[in-house]
Amino acid sequence: MESRLDPEIARALLEWQFDMGVVDAIGDAPIDRRGLPGTPPGAARSGPIAAARPPARDPGPAAGDEPASESETSPLAVAERAAADARSLDDLRAALAAFEGCELKKGARNLVFADGTAPAPVMIVGEAPGRDEDREGRPFVGQAGKLLDRMLAEIGLSRQENVYITNVLPWRPPQNRTPTREEIAMLLPFLRRHVELVAPEVIVAMGNTSIQALLGKTGITKLRGQWTEALGRPLLPMLHPAYLLRNPIAKRETWADLLSLWAHLHGA
């Protein structure tokens, strides 16, 4: 068959091969020039032959060095490990500040960790920060916080002496919306560890989100005032002060709950 290769092109190809170091004509069998005398062991090929070689096969992870499974890197798994490693309240605060698994963090101004005294006989667990809490970085401030302080004072309690306060969520949800089940579950390991470190005699869960996190139930208006147990400690569900501001008539029921809390603390 007659070659259609242009003589000038053929000449250019030969010159290119010469520049690449070709000195012998192509033989009947391939020659591995890496094995010829004078060739350094492991010398790499160059030119188009090297480019045509398949890439080195990845041997994969060594034995005992398997990649982490998806379940081990999920936000919940990361939260559980971070919470378990916290040996103090300062450690726990730092762990929460470093936690990147919750999208709420991106839209919040501040981490709202806690307020009050630790250790304390009473630990109040609220729902999530509102606008005032997000601005100041403390739970239960603003009008709801002032009402809570007056409620506690009526039975001889205060943040400064014998009450520790936190929330289920440390970051404000957009527009003060209700926290989702996923958000509650993701941050629950931190709350559990928080309770362990404070070691209160009694937990007061204020609001629906609190009883959902600690009891797995909803319906605060039905459950309020009924003593139960969570995380190995007595728990009293109560109405949130923000709810009382919207529904002043419910303050009578809350007063009864406060008296029940006082009686429990004093063994009456």
Side-chain angles (χ1 to χ4, degrees), residues 212-260:
Q212 182 178 344
L214 294 169
L215 301 177
K217 300 178 181 179
T218 57
I220 186 64
T221 55
K222 294 182 179 179
L223 294 173
R224 52 137 294 272
Q226 300 179 33
W227 282 95
T228 183
E229 185 176 300
L231 304 181
R233 291 171 170 80
L235 181 143
L236 178 64
M238 289 183 60
L239 298 172
H240 197 284
Y243 178 87
L244 299 178
L245 291 174
R246 299 190 302 268
N247 303 274
I249 195 172
K251 290 181 180 180
R252 179 180 300 178
E253 297 171 337
T254 299
W255 175 241
D257 297 342
L258 288 170
L259 292 178
S260 178

Side-chain angles (χ1 to χ4, degrees), residues 147-167:
L147 176 56
L148 175 62
D149 289 340
R150 293 198 300 270
M151 291 164 51
L152 295 174
E154 290 295 330
I155 58 171
L157 299 175
S158 71
R159 312 179 191 226
Q160 294 74 27
E161 297 180 3
N162 44 27
V163 174
Y164 187 88
I165 306 174
T166 190
N167 283 316

Side-chain angles (χ1 to χ4, degrees), residues 71-72 74-87 92 95 99 185-190 192-193:
S71 61
E72 293 175 336
S74 68
L76 178 57
V78 173
E80 289 175 340
R81 289 194 296 270
D85 289 342
R87 294 294 176 262
L92 188 64
F99 183 63
M186 182 191 308
L187 294 164
L188 187 55
F190 292 108
R192 290 197 186 106
R193 187 62 179 145

Side-chain angles (χ1 to χ4, degrees), residues 24-205:
D24 296 321
I26 298 175
D28 296 332
I31 300 175
D32 185 358
R33 297 188 179 277
R34 292 174 299 174
L36 296 177
T39 302
R45 293 182 180 179
S46 61
I49 296 179
R53 292 178 61 193
R57 185 175 181 181
D58 185 357
D65 190 27
E66 297 182 358
S69 65
E70 184 176 350
S71 61
E72 293 175 336
T73 58
S74 68
L76 178 57
V78 173
E80 289 175 340
R81 289 194 296 270
D85 289 342
R87 294 294 176 262
S88 67
L89 291 173
D90 287 340
D91 288 348
L92 188 64
R93 183 187 186 102
L96 266 171
F99 183 63
E100 300 294 340
C102 183
E103 290 294 316
L104 294 178
K105 180 179 181 179
K106 298 179 180 178
R109 293 185 179 182
N110 287 300
L111 168 73
V112 181
F113 183 67
D115 195 17
T117 302
V122 177
M123 182 173 184
I124 294 176
V125 179
E127 299 182 311
R131 181 186 59 186
D132 295 330
E133 288 80 7
D134 183 40
R135 182 183 297 116
E136 296 190 25
R138 294 190 302 124
F140 284 91
V141 296
Q143 294 302 313
K146 292 178 181 178
L147 176 56
L148 175 62
D149 289 340
R150 293 198 300 270
M151 291 164 51
L152 295 174
E154 290 295 330
I155 58 171
L157 299 175
S158 71
R159 312 179 191 226
Q160 294 74 27
E161 297 180 3
N162 44 27
V163 174
Y164 187 88
I165 306 174
T166 190
N167 283 316
V168 174
L169 270 59
W171 297 291
R172 180 193 181 192
Q175 307 302 316
N176 290 352
R177 64 160 171 77
T178 301
T180 65
R181 292 181 180 272
E182 291 75 17
E183 290 165 347
I184 294 172
M186 182 191 308
L187 294 164
L188 187 55
F190 292 108
L191 178 59
R192 290 197 186 106
R193 187 62 179 145
H194 213 151
V195 173
E196 292 174 356
L197 292 170
V198 176
E201 296 177 20
V202 172
I203 300 172
V204 176

